Amino acid sequence: MPAATVSEREESQAMATPERTRTAAPLLKVEGITVRFGGIVALDGVSFDVESGLVAGLIGPNGAGKTTLFNCLSRLYKANEGDILIDGRSIVGSTPHAMPGFGIGRTFQNLALFQTMTVLENVMVGCHSRTRADFLGSALRLPWIRSEESRAREDAIEMISFLGLDDVAHVTVASLPFGTRKKVELARALAGKPRLLLLDEPAGGMNHDAVEELIALIHDIRERLGITVLVLEHHMNLVMRVSDKVIALDFGRKIADGTPDEVRSDPEVIRAYLGKDA
């Protein structure tokens, strides 16, 4: 990526700090989201805000409803009740493929890459939501199609460089190790230039050194790219170190919402993780 000037870096960091963003209207507002699967209540009236420029962590024991909530945010699931707003605009009536238009990008716990395509080609797919290409224009290779493709390639190369994947840009994804493939999926999500990035268990399968690198990377995404991040993660050390605020779920209900220190010492959170007699 092009080196930023000192003043640009200072301005970017100032805009990304929690002190500046907590006073702004929330980028993400979840209001009373309830999801039922038959007689099972997966989410029960969950509400919280995520202000622009923050890193927020979403935690909870297995079965707490975290993945269901993420799937509601990306419109893979439809809530029975409640609303989800991005910058004050409701997304509950929108389709999953419309989410990039709202500025939402996502990675998945189970990698969803095109295995026979190169890293560059996979990341370019993330740029598709920002293009106007249609069947006829693409078939005829019209000049504006070629221009869009060139811009998408440039944007993809920029994200590949940001994540340190330059050496494997033209390597087929199937031949890469798991940790590198996770970076490729992250690069693809970032190539869509989201305002809100949903990270679904990004530390899964990583060793200690890789987790440390991921912590620094999430901070870079917030500070250098100006992206708000919501992290769903079981790795508590990562969540508590990287997050400005933490939302805790248990049995589909929100049980805590606050700073990492507030949440880690909350009696409901302690009981959820360690048991009622802890």
Side-chain angles (χ1 to χ4, degrees), residues 120-277:
L120 176 59
E121 290 167 340
N122 268 276
V123 178
M124 285 181 66
V125 170
C127 303
H128 175 72
S129 63
R130 296 186 288 104
T131 65
R132 298 177 294 110
D134 55 22
F135 177 80
L136 181 60
S138 297
L140 297 177
R141 297 291 296 159
L142 297 176
W144 66 271
I145 290 287
R146 295 197 298 271
S147 178
E148 276 197 342
E149 184 176 324
S150 177
R151 286 196 300 271
R153 181 178 293 271
E154 291 173 1
D155 289 344
I157 289 172
E158 183 179 13
M159 287 302 102
I160 285 171
S161 180
F162 177 75
L163 290 168
L165 295 168
D166 303 82
D167 292 343
V168 296
H170 300 287
V171 175
T172 303
V173 163
S175 64
L176 297 173
F178 178 74
T180 304
R181 281 182 283 147
K182 294 200 79 164
K183 281 189 173 183
V184 175
E185 187 177 49
L186 178 55
R188 185 177 63 186
L190 291 173
K193 297 188 177 180
R195 291 181 295 159
L196 173 65
L197 177 63
L198 308 176
L199 298 179
D200 191 347
E201 298 198 27
M206 290 187 173
N207 60 29
H208 174 75
D209 291 340
V211 170
E212 290 297 314
E213 181 182 355
L214 177 60
I215 291 172
L217 179 57
I218 292 173
H219 281 140
D220 274 351
I221 289 170
R222 190 268 299 277
E223 293 170 7
R224 293 174 59 185
L225 302 183
I227 296 173
T228 304
V229 183
L230 179 60
V231 186
L232 185 167
E233 186 54 72
H234 287 287
H235 196 295
M236 296 300 290
N237 179 48
L238 180 148
V239 172
M240 295 302 173
R241 288 175 57 190
V242 81
S243 302
D244 300 303
K245 70 179 294 182
V246 177
I247 302 103
L249 303 181
D250 191 29
F251 292 111
R253 297 181 302 107
K254 186 183 78 173
I255 58 173
D257 182 351
T259 66
D261 285 341
E262 290 169 343
V263 171
R264 70 159 55 94
S265 61
D266 188 284
E268 287 292 321
V269 175
I270 294 171
R271 278 194 288 270
Y273 276 96
L274 302 179
K276 293 184 179 300
D277 298 327

